[in-house]
């Protein structure tokens, strides 16, 4: 993962840490696919951590035991990833298309925004689970949905049928981000 030299010169710290793991069980044949990895809380893994490879997002950890962790794969109808078209492009939610192991859809893109087939799709960085600039796939055909927004097909880089090794991404700032989001949601502030 690349970091901007300008950010490094300002002393910005990387809040993400990475732990290698091996998949010991995984499903790919339902609408709610899951995986189990060979790392748990004894290895520093926690719930709500992202799981990636160099080819994209694999999923999210939901439950952790001493030596193993359970998570939902991106091939799950309940997972969405904040994605960006091109390095500086349009940001939109991306989710699995529900049919193919190598396809996804970018949704809710304003019809007035121009997109082209063949652009690389990356993680946006607007998530406490995944850092920016993880390559996800390539854009394909787009269509207008309900006359209001575009939906763009994406061919994923990640091949879920051959997946064995993954990296768990842990954000050391996630609790603070969640705390701030909850304050905004409650509409109140606490004195410290």
């Amino acid at each position: 993962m690349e970091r901007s030299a300008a950010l490094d010169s300002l002393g910005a710290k990387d809040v993400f840490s990475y732990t290698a793991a091996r998949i010991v069980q995984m499903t790919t044949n339902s609408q709610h696919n899951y995986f189990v990895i060979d790392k748990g809380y004894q290895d520093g893994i926690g719930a709500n951590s992202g799981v990636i490879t160099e080819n994209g997002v694999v999923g999210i950890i939901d439950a952790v035991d001493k030596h193993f962790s359970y998570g939902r794969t991106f091939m799950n109808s309940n997972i969405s990833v904040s994605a960006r078209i091109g390095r500086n492009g349009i940001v939109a939610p991306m989710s699995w298309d529900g049919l193919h192991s190598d396809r996804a859809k970018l949704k809710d893109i304003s019809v007035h925004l121009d997109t082209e087939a063949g652009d690389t799709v990356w993680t946006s960085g607007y998530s406490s689970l995944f850092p920016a600039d993880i390559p996800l796939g390539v854009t394909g055909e787009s269509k207008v949905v309900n006359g209001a927004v575009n939906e763009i097909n994406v061919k994923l880089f990640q091949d879920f049928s051959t997946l064995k090794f993954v990296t768990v991404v842990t954000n050391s700032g996630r609790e603070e981000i969640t705390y701030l989001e909850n304050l905004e949601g409650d509409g109140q502030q606490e004195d410290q």
Side-chain angles (χ1 to χ4, degrees):
M1 313 294 149
E2 235 174 77
R3 288 189 39 167
S4 164
L7 285 179
D8 287 337
S9 69
L10 294 174
K13 70 175 189 171
D14 192 356
V15 296
F16 291 100
S17 61
Y18 304 88
T19 305
R22 184 176 58 86
I23 292 180
V24 296
Q25 187 175 7
M26 186 168 87
T27 64
T28 58
N29 59 354
S30 79
Q31 290 294 302
H32 304 285
N33 292 295
Y34 69 91
F35 61 89
V36 176
I37 60 170
D38 68 347
K39 301 287 182 186
Y41 66 75
Q42 189 173 40
D43 305 293
I45 306 301
N48 296 315
S49 294
V51 179
I52 63 172
T53 70
E54 66 276 2
N55 295 319
V57 168
V58 173
I60 299 170
I61 300 289
D62 285 328
V64 179
D65 205 343
K66 187 173 184 180
H67 299 291
F68 297 94
S69 298
Y70 169 93
R72 293 170 287 152
T73 74
F74 180 72
M75 287 177 46
N76 188 307
S77 59
N78 295 324
I79 298 264
S80 179
V81 173
S82 179
R84 183 184 68 250
I85 302 171
R87 287 278 183 191
N88 300 311
I90 301 162
V91 174
M94 185 178 83
S95 56
W96 177 47
D97 77 352
L99 299 172
H100 308 95
S101 64
D102 63 347
R103 305 285 178 186
K105 292 188 180 292
L106 286 162
K107 300 179 179 183
D108 301 326
I109 299 169
S110 296
V111 292
H112 75 277
L113 298 173
D114 293 327
T115 62
E116 291 185 29
D119 280 341
T120 300
V121 179
W122 309 82
T123 52
S124 69
Y126 297 163
S127 160
S128 59
L129 294 176
F130 302 106
D133 301 327
I134 298 170
L136 299 171
V138 176
T139 59
E141 295 178 355
S142 67
K143 68 177 181 178
V144 176
V145 178
N146 297 327
V149 293
N150 276 330
E151 186 176 272
I152 300 174
N153 292 326
V154 177
K155 168 80 166 88
L156 298 173
F157 294 137
Q158 182 59 62
D159 180 358
F160 284 85
S161 67
T162 61
L163 198 55
K164 292 180 186 169
F165 299 99
V166 295
T167 300
V168 180
V169 181
T170 304
N171 183 343
S172 63
R174 182 163 169 69
E175 285 184 31
E176 186 175 355
I177 292 168
T178 301
Y179 172 77
L180 291 171
E181 288 172 340
N182 289 337
L183 280 180
E184 178 62 30
D186 293 341
Q188 54 186 315
Q189 282 188 320
E190 292 180 10
D191 291 329
Q192 301 231 348

